[in-house]
Amino acid sequence: MAVPAALAIVPIGMLFILSGLVVNLVQAFFYVLIRPLSKKTYRKINKVVAELLLLELIWLFDWWAGVKVELYMDSQAFEMMGKEHTLLICNHKSDIDWLVGWVIAQRAGCLGSALAIMKKEAKFLPVVGWSMWFSDYVFLDRTWAKDENTLKSGFKRLSDFPMPFWLALFVEGTRFTQAKLQAAQEYAASRGLPLPRNVLIPRTKGFVSAVTHMRSYVPAIYDCTVAVPSNQKPPTLLRIIRGQPAIVKLQIKRYSMQELPETSDGIAQWCKDLFVTKDAFLETYRAKDLFSTKQRQDIGRPIKSLLVVSFWSCLLVFGVVEFFLWSALLTSWEGIVILVAALVLVTLAMQILIQSSESERSTPIEAFQQDSARERLLQERAVIETP
């Protein structure tokens, strides 16, 4: 049952922000004291600690809003999930693709080691961004001159990761909107490329770098395709907080890393061809309401996230009550002002998190148009300078 956003944001925000700050402090403690001695031990501990925060978002998804993920995947590949290092690529269709990925990672047993390549602004997000920073996420400036070395060092850092990890890369570079689709179609028409209808044109440099540097220790690529039924509103973080249920369809195809070409141009073309196929797949779903011929897998709804949220709720209620009794904060106007200010800060923090997840607030079209123009100039210069 949907509830007004104002009634849900404050209590959920208090739970998430306060417990998240505790998680961040614990992560910082182990980062300073354990990581310099043993990076392997730190990563194993941090996986458990980070999950104490991420499971709250899983609870929102599974139990509070009751969002359902219909997963279509070969049984053999499904059995491999969570047992191998994986490079995961996906169309960036909705506001909560990242949360769908965390839900599937939790079912596979690798939620705390589900990582991503993200824009650097994400690490400044309250609580969740700080937790990402402690967890080996790779943050980019979106300037290739800087990002090339950042990616290389990030991939090298992951080569000795002590447990199976997923590294998510959204090769479209930004979330899907109709305005961005129109810009992608104009670019495709000007370059004689297939005209996309349901995806954006992949930006392949990061993918080529990932395959080149991770091929030796990452055995698989998971090609994920996300779609939302046309007869419902697309799920957003705000709608989930309001308790609005939804259905998300997800198909995952597993490719062996060794199947990919050896050359950079070949890898880039493989990715482009994959998104042409993905676009046709989504067009078929949109026209005929046929999503996938693969077997639908039962991912269930584990109780673990419910237990974690119950634990945090009891702990924080006890702590807050004891604090108020000890401090007598509510017996003075100054204390009441401090309490109101704290509630306002929590609300603002939640607003920042919600807005950061919205497609319309993602990287603007102009930035991609400038990047495309810059890339064409570099290619033309390379041709001119070729003897």
mmCIF file of all heavy atoms in Angstrom, residues 130-159:
data_model
loop_
_atom_site.group_PDB
_atom_site.id
_atom_site.type_symbol
_atom_site.label_atom_id
_atom_site.label_comp_id
_atom_site.label_asym_id
_atom_site.label_seq_id
_atom_site.Cartn_x
_atom_site.Cartn_y
_atom_site.Cartn_z
ATOM 1 N N TRP A 130 29.868 7.088 0.731
ATOM 2 C CA TRP A 130 31.052 6.901 1.581
ATOM 3 C C TRP A 130 31.348 5.409 1.743
ATOM 4 O O TRP A 130 32.515 5.000 1.753
ATOM 5 C CB TRP A 130 30.821 7.550 2.943
ATOM 6 C CG TRP A 130 30.443 9.003 2.824
ATOM 7 C CD1 TRP A 130 30.766 9.846 1.802
ATOM 8 C CD2 TRP A 130 29.657 9.770 3.743
ATOM 9 N NE1 TRP A 130 30.229 11.099 2.023
ATOM 10 C CE2 TRP A 130 29.549 11.081 3.205
ATOM 11 C CE3 TRP A 130 29.031 9.490 4.957
ATOM 12 C CZ2 TRP A 130 28.853 12.088 3.853
ATOM 13 C CZ3 TRP A 130 28.338 10.503 5.598
ATOM 14 C CH2 TRP A 130 28.249 11.787 5.055
ATOM 15 N N SER A 131 30.313 4.597 1.844
ATOM 16 C CA SER A 131 30.509 3.153 1.942
ATOM 17 C C SER A 131 31.124 2.602 0.661
ATOM 18 O O SER A 131 31.977 1.707 0.706
ATOM 19 C CB SER A 131 29.166 2.458 2.218
ATOM 20 O OG SER A 131 29.326 1.066 2.345
ATOM 21 N N MET A 132 30.715 3.133 -0.494
ATOM 22 C CA MET A 132 31.310 2.719 -1.769
ATOM 23 C C MET A 132 32.799 3.013 -1.799
ATOM 24 O O MET A 132 33.599 2.222 -2.308
ATOM 25 C CB MET A 132 30.612 3.441 -2.927
ATOM 26 C CG MET A 132 29.192 3.013 -3.186
ATOM 27 S SD MET A 132 28.443 4.052 -4.472
ATOM 28 C CE MET A 132 26.811 3.336 -4.581
ATOM 29 N N TRP A 133 33.176 4.154 -1.256
ATOM 30 C CA TRP A 133 34.594 4.543 -1.261
ATOM 31 C C TRP A 133 35.439 3.541 -0.475
ATOM 32 O O TRP A 133 36.572 3.233 -0.857
ATOM 33 C CB TRP A 133 34.752 5.941 -0.668
ATOM 34 C CG TRP A 133 36.148 6.471 -0.803
ATOM 35 C CD1 TRP A 133 36.686 7.160 -1.857
ATOM 36 C CD2 TRP A 133 37.209 6.363 0.163
ATOM 37 N NE1 TRP A 133 38.003 7.475 -1.617
ATOM 38 C CE2 TRP A 133 38.352 6.999 -0.379
ATOM 39 C CE3 TRP A 133 37.300 5.788 1.431
ATOM 40 C CZ2 TRP A 133 39.557 7.086 0.295
ATOM 41 C CZ3 TRP A 133 38.510 5.869 2.108
ATOM 42 C CH2 TRP A 133 39.617 6.507 1.552
ATOM 43 N N PHE A 134 34.888 3.009 0.600
ATOM 44 C CA PHE A 134 35.607 2.023 1.402
ATOM 45 C C PHE A 134 35.604 0.636 0.746
ATOM 46 O O PHE A 134 36.280 -0.270 1.243
ATOM 47 C CB PHE A 134 34.971 1.901 2.795
ATOM 48 C CG PHE A 134 35.244 3.072 3.703
ATOM 49 C CD1 PHE A 134 34.203 3.881 4.150
ATOM 50 C CD2 PHE A 134 36.535 3.364 4.128
ATOM 51 C CE1 PHE A 134 34.454 4.960 4.996
ATOM 52 C CE2 PHE A 134 36.792 4.446 4.965
ATOM 53 C CZ PHE A 134 35.749 5.240 5.397
ATOM 54 N N SER A 135 34.862 0.473 -0.347
ATOM 55 C CA SER A 135 34.594 -0.868 -0.871
ATOM 56 C C SER A 135 35.167 -1.135 -2.262
ATOM 57 O O SER A 135 34.667 -1.988 -2.985
ATOM 58 C CB SER A 135 33.080 -1.119 -0.893
ATOM 59 O OG SER A 135 32.531 -0.998 0.404
ATOM 60 N N ASP A 136 36.193 -0.386 -2.669
ATOM 61 C CA ASP A 136 36.891 -0.639 -3.936
ATOM 62 C C ASP A 136 36.070 -0.306 -5.174
ATOM 63 O O ASP A 136 36.352 -0.822 -6.264
ATOM 64 C CB ASP A 136 37.371 -2.095 -4.021
ATOM 65 C CG ASP A 136 38.554 -2.378 -3.111
ATOM 66 O OD1 ASP A 136 39.569 -1.684 -3.229
ATOM 67 O OD2 ASP A 136 38.448 -3.291 -2.280
ATOM 68 N N TYR A 137 35.053 0.539 -5.064
ATOM 69 C CA TYR A 137 34.407 1.045 -6.271
ATOM 70 C C TYR A 137 35.407 1.892 -7.055
ATOM 71 O O TYR A 137 36.342 2.464 -6.475
ATOM 72 C CB TYR A 137 33.193 1.902 -5.916
ATOM 73 C CG TYR A 137 31.952 1.113 -5.573
ATOM 74 C CD1 TYR A 137 31.913 0.258 -4.472
ATOM 75 C CD2 TYR A 137 30.800 1.228 -6.338
ATOM 76 C CE1 TYR A 137 30.765 -0.464 -4.152
ATOM 77 C CE2 TYR A 137 29.644 0.514 -6.029
ATOM 78 C CZ TYR A 137 29.643 -0.328 -4.933
ATOM 79 O OH TYR A 137 28.506 -1.038 -4.622
ATOM 80 N N VAL A 138 35.210 1.988 -8.364
ATOM 81 C CA VAL A 138 36.099 2.766 -9.223
ATOM 82 C C VAL A 138 35.357 4.034 -9.635
ATOM 83 O O VAL A 138 34.261 3.961 -10.212
ATOM 84 C CB VAL A 138 36.512 1.963 -10.471
ATOM 85 C CG1 VAL A 138 37.447 2.795 -11.356
ATOM 86 C CG2 VAL A 138 37.180 0.646 -10.069
ATOM 87 N N PHE A 139 35.931 5.194 -9.349
ATOM 88 C CA PHE A 139 35.270 6.480 -9.602
ATOM 89 C C PHE A 139 35.988 7.230 -10.721
ATOM 90 O O PHE A 139 37.214 7.366 -10.706
ATOM 91 C CB PHE A 139 35.251 7.323 -8.323
ATOM 92 C CG PHE A 139 34.476 6.688 -7.203
ATOM 93 C CD1 PHE A 139 35.133 6.019 -6.178
ATOM 94 C CD2 PHE A 139 33.094 6.749 -7.181
ATOM 95 C CE1 PHE A 139 34.422 5.429 -5.142
ATOM 96 C CE2 PHE A 139 32.375 6.162 -6.149
ATOM 97 C CZ PHE A 139 33.038 5.500 -5.136
ATOM 98 N N LEU A 140 35.193 7.737 -11.673
ATOM 99 C CA LEU A 140 35.741 8.364 -12.871
ATOM 100 C C LEU A 140 35.426 9.851 -12.932
ATOM 101 O O LEU A 140 34.409 10.315 -12.413
ATOM 102 C CB LEU A 140 35.176 7.693 -14.121
ATOM 103 C CG LEU A 140 35.415 6.181 -14.269
ATOM 104 C CD1 LEU A 140 34.818 5.693 -15.579
ATOM 105 C CD2 LEU A 140 36.897 5.852 -14.186
ATOM 106 N N ASP A 141 36.308 10.594 -13.619
ATOM 107 C CA ASP A 141 36.100 12.021 -13.871
ATOM 108 C C ASP A 141 35.295 12.265 -15.138
ATOM 109 O O ASP A 141 34.891 13.379 -15.409
ATOM 110 C CB ASP A 141 37.448 12.736 -14.008
ATOM 111 C CG ASP A 141 38.169 12.855 -12.677
ATOM 112 O OD1 ASP A 141 37.847 13.785 -11.932
ATOM 113 O OD2 ASP A 141 39.058 12.036 -12.400
ATOM 114 N N ARG A 142 35.132 11.214 -15.965
ATOM 115 C CA ARG A 142 34.501 11.315 -17.281
ATOM 116 C C ARG A 142 35.350 12.123 -18.250
ATOM 117 O O ARG A 142 34.843 12.772 -19.170
ATOM 118 C CB ARG A 142 33.085 11.895 -17.193
ATOM 119 C CG ARG A 142 32.111 10.964 -16.447
ATOM 120 C CD ARG A 142 30.712 11.496 -16.532
ATOM 121 N NE ARG A 142 29.790 10.691 -15.736
ATOM 122 C CZ ARG A 142 28.765 10.034 -16.252
ATOM 123 N NH1 ARG A 142 28.556 10.051 -17.539
ATOM 124 N NH2 ARG A 142 27.952 9.337 -15.482
ATOM 125 N N THR A 143 36.651 12.129 -18.012
ATOM 126 C CA THR A 143 37.628 12.687 -18.936
ATOM 127 C C THR A 143 38.632 11.591 -19.211
ATOM 128 O O THR A 143 39.353 11.162 -18.301
ATOM 129 C CB THR A 143 38.332 13.921 -18.342
ATOM 130 O OG1 THR A 143 37.352 14.906 -17.995
ATOM 131 C CG2 THR A 143 39.316 14.513 -19.342
ATOM 132 N N TRP A 144 38.705 11.125 -20.461
ATOM 133 C CA TRP A 144 39.483 9.929 -20.748
ATOM 134 C C TRP A 144 40.958 10.094 -20.396
ATOM 135 O O TRP A 144 41.618 9.143 -19.980
ATOM 136 C CB TRP A 144 39.319 9.530 -22.211
ATOM 137 C CG TRP A 144 40.028 8.257 -22.532
ATOM 138 C CD1 TRP A 144 41.095 8.084 -23.350
ATOM 139 C CD2 TRP A 144 39.719 6.954 -21.997
ATOM 140 N NE1 TRP A 144 41.478 6.761 -23.379
ATOM 141 C CE2 TRP A 144 40.651 6.048 -22.551
ATOM 142 C CE3 TRP A 144 38.758 6.475 -21.111
ATOM 143 C CZ2 TRP A 144 40.649 4.691 -22.253
ATOM 144 C CZ3 TRP A 144 38.748 5.122 -20.803
ATOM 145 C CH2 TRP A 144 39.688 4.251 -21.365
ATOM 146 N N ALA A 145 41.484 11.302 -20.534
ATOM 147 C CA ALA A 145 42.899 11.528 -20.215
ATOM 148 C C ALA A 145 43.201 11.165 -18.766
ATOM 149 O O ALA A 145 44.293 10.675 -18.454
ATOM 150 C CB ALA A 145 43.263 12.989 -20.481
ATOM 151 N N LYS A 146 42.236 11.382 -17.874
ATOM 152 C CA LYS A 146 42.396 11.016 -16.468
ATOM 153 C C LYS A 146 41.876 9.596 -16.201
ATOM 154 O O LYS A 146 42.484 8.825 -15.469
ATOM 155 C CB LYS A 146 41.639 12.004 -15.567
ATOM 156 C CG LYS A 146 42.146 13.433 -15.617
ATOM 157 C CD LYS A 146 41.306 14.319 -14.707
ATOM 158 C CE LYS A 146 41.788 15.764 -14.741
ATOM 159 N NZ LYS A 146 40.944 16.636 -13.872
ATOM 160 N N ASP A 147 40.754 9.264 -16.833
ATOM 161 C CA ASP A 147 40.081 8.006 -16.507
ATOM 162 C C ASP A 147 40.843 6.782 -16.996
ATOM 163 O O ASP A 147 40.717 5.699 -16.411
ATOM 164 C CB ASP A 147 38.673 8.000 -17.099
ATOM 165 C CG ASP A 147 37.758 9.012 -16.430
ATOM 166 O OD1 ASP A 147 38.091 9.436 -15.310
ATOM 167 O OD2 ASP A 147 36.738 9.378 -17.027
ATOM 168 N N GLU A 148 41.630 6.926 -18.045
ATOM 169 C CA GLU A 148 42.375 5.776 -18.567
ATOM 170 C C GLU A 148 43.274 5.180 -17.487
ATOM 171 O O GLU A 148 43.289 3.963 -17.267
ATOM 172 C CB GLU A 148 43.195 6.187 -19.786
ATOM 173 C CG GLU A 148 43.924 5.026 -20.444
ATOM 174 C CD GLU A 148 44.649 5.429 -21.710
ATOM 175 O OE1 GLU A 148 44.809 6.659 -21.952
ATOM 176 O OE2 GLU A 148 45.061 4.534 -22.470
ATOM 177 N N ASN A 149 44.023 6.040 -16.806
ATOM 178 C CA ASN A 149 44.907 5.556 -15.737
ATOM 179 C C ASN A 149 44.125 5.133 -14.497
ATOM 180 O O ASN A 149 44.519 4.191 -13.802
ATOM 181 C CB ASN A 149 45.934 6.636 -15.380
ATOM 182 C CG ASN A 149 46.957 6.844 -16.476
ATOM 183 O OD1 ASN A 149 47.307 5.906 -17.197
ATOM 184 N ND2 ASN A 149 47.441 8.066 -16.616
ATOM 185 N N THR A 150 43.020 5.826 -14.222
ATOM 186 C CA THR A 150 42.180 5.449 -13.082
ATOM 187 C C THR A 150 41.635 4.037 -13.261
ATOM 188 O O THR A 150 41.634 3.228 -12.318
ATOM 189 C CB THR A 150 41.016 6.438 -12.923
ATOM 190 O OG1 THR A 150 41.531 7.758 -12.711
ATOM 191 C CG2 THR A 150 40.136 6.054 -11.744
ATOM 192 N N LEU A 151 41.188 3.731 -14.464
ATOM 193 C CA LEU A 151 40.662 2.395 -14.735
ATOM 194 C C LEU A 151 41.758 1.344 -14.619
ATOM 195 O O LEU A 151 41.560 0.284 -14.021
ATOM 196 C CB LEU A 151 40.040 2.354 -16.133
ATOM 197 C CG LEU A 151 38.683 3.061 -16.283
ATOM 198 C CD1 LEU A 151 38.285 3.147 -17.748
ATOM 199 C CD2 LEU A 151 37.609 2.351 -15.488
ATOM 200 N N LYS A 152 42.917 1.624 -15.181
ATOM 201 C CA LYS A 152 44.019 0.662 -15.121
ATOM 202 C C LYS A 152 44.381 0.330 -13.673
ATOM 203 O O LYS A 152 44.542 -0.837 -13.314
ATOM 204 C CB LYS A 152 45.240 1.217 -15.847
ATOM 205 C CG LYS A 152 45.125 1.233 -17.361
ATOM 206 C CD LYS A 152 46.388 1.797 -17.993
ATOM 207 C CE LYS A 152 46.288 1.835 -19.508
ATOM 208 N NZ LYS A 152 47.494 2.417 -20.140
ATOM 209 N N SER A 153 44.499 1.372 -12.854
ATOM 210 C CA SER A 153 44.862 1.137 -11.449
ATOM 211 C C SER A 153 43.726 0.432 -10.707
ATOM 212 O O SER A 153 43.962 -0.417 -9.834
ATOM 213 C CB SER A 153 45.203 2.458 -10.761
ATOM 214 O OG SER A 153 44.101 3.348 -10.758
ATOM 215 N N GLY A 154 42.470 0.756 -11.064
ATOM 216 C CA GLY A 154 41.335 0.090 -10.424
ATOM 217 C C GLY A 154 41.276 -1.382 -10.767
ATOM 218 O O GLY A 154 41.049 -2.229 -9.892
ATOM 219 N N PHE A 155 41.511 -1.716 -12.024
ATOM 220 C CA PHE A 155 41.500 -3.124 -12.435
ATOM 221 C C PHE A 155 42.665 -3.889 -11.798
ATOM 222 O O PHE A 155 42.515 -5.043 -11.400
ATOM 223 C CB PHE A 155 41.579 -3.232 -13.958
ATOM 224 C CG PHE A 155 40.426 -2.574 -14.671
ATOM 225 C CD1 PHE A 155 40.613 -1.936 -15.891
ATOM 226 C CD2 PHE A 155 39.147 -2.588 -14.124
ATOM 227 C CE1 PHE A 155 39.552 -1.332 -16.553
ATOM 228 C CE2 PHE A 155 38.083 -1.979 -14.778
ATOM 229 C CZ PHE A 155 38.294 -1.343 -15.998
ATOM 230 N N LYS A 156 43.801 -3.245 -11.716
ATOM 231 C CA LYS A 156 44.956 -3.883 -11.067
ATOM 232 C C LYS A 156 44.670 -4.142 -9.591
ATOM 233 O O LYS A 156 45.047 -5.180 -9.038
ATOM 234 C CB LYS A 156 46.194 -3.002 -11.224
ATOM 235 C CG LYS A 156 47.461 -3.608 -10.641
ATOM 236 C CD LYS A 156 48.654 -2.692 -10.863
ATOM 237 C CE LYS A 156 49.925 -3.307 -10.271
ATOM 238 N NZ LYS A 156 51.103 -2.415 -10.464
ATOM 239 N N ARG A 157 43.970 -3.196 -8.958
ATOM 240 C CA ARG A 157 43.636 -3.330 -7.537
ATOM 241 C C ARG A 157 42.710 -4.520 -7.291
ATOM 242 O O ARG A 157 42.778 -5.159 -6.246
ATOM 243 C CB ARG A 157 42.987 -2.029 -7.065
ATOM 244 C CG ARG A 157 42.950 -1.810 -5.578
ATOM 245 C CD ARG A 157 42.632 -0.374 -5.237
ATOM 246 N NE ARG A 157 41.332 0.044 -5.710
ATOM 247 C CZ ARG A 157 41.130 1.039 -6.573
ATOM 248 N NH1 ARG A 157 42.161 1.690 -7.083
ATOM 249 N NH2 ARG A 157 39.910 1.364 -6.955
ATOM 250 N N LEU A 158 41.858 -4.828 -8.260
ATOM 251 C CA LEU A 158 40.900 -5.914 -8.099
ATOM 252 C C LEU A 158 41.477 -7.288 -8.427
ATOM 253 O O LEU A 158 40.841 -8.304 -8.163
ATOM 254 C CB LEU A 158 39.679 -5.668 -9.002
ATOM 255 C CG LEU A 158 38.778 -4.489 -8.622
ATOM 256 C CD1 LEU A 158 37.702 -4.284 -9.685
ATOM 257 C CD2 LEU A 158 38.143 -4.697 -7.261
ATOM 258 N N SER A 159 42.681 -7.327 -8.978
ATOM 259 C CA SER A 159 43.238 -8.599 -9.439
ATOM 260 C C SER A 159 43.491 -9.588 -8.304
ATOM 261 O O SER A 159 43.543 -10.799 -8.539
ATOM 262 C CB SER A 159 44.543 -8.357 -10.212
ATOM 263 O OG SER A 159 45.517 -7.764 -9.363
#
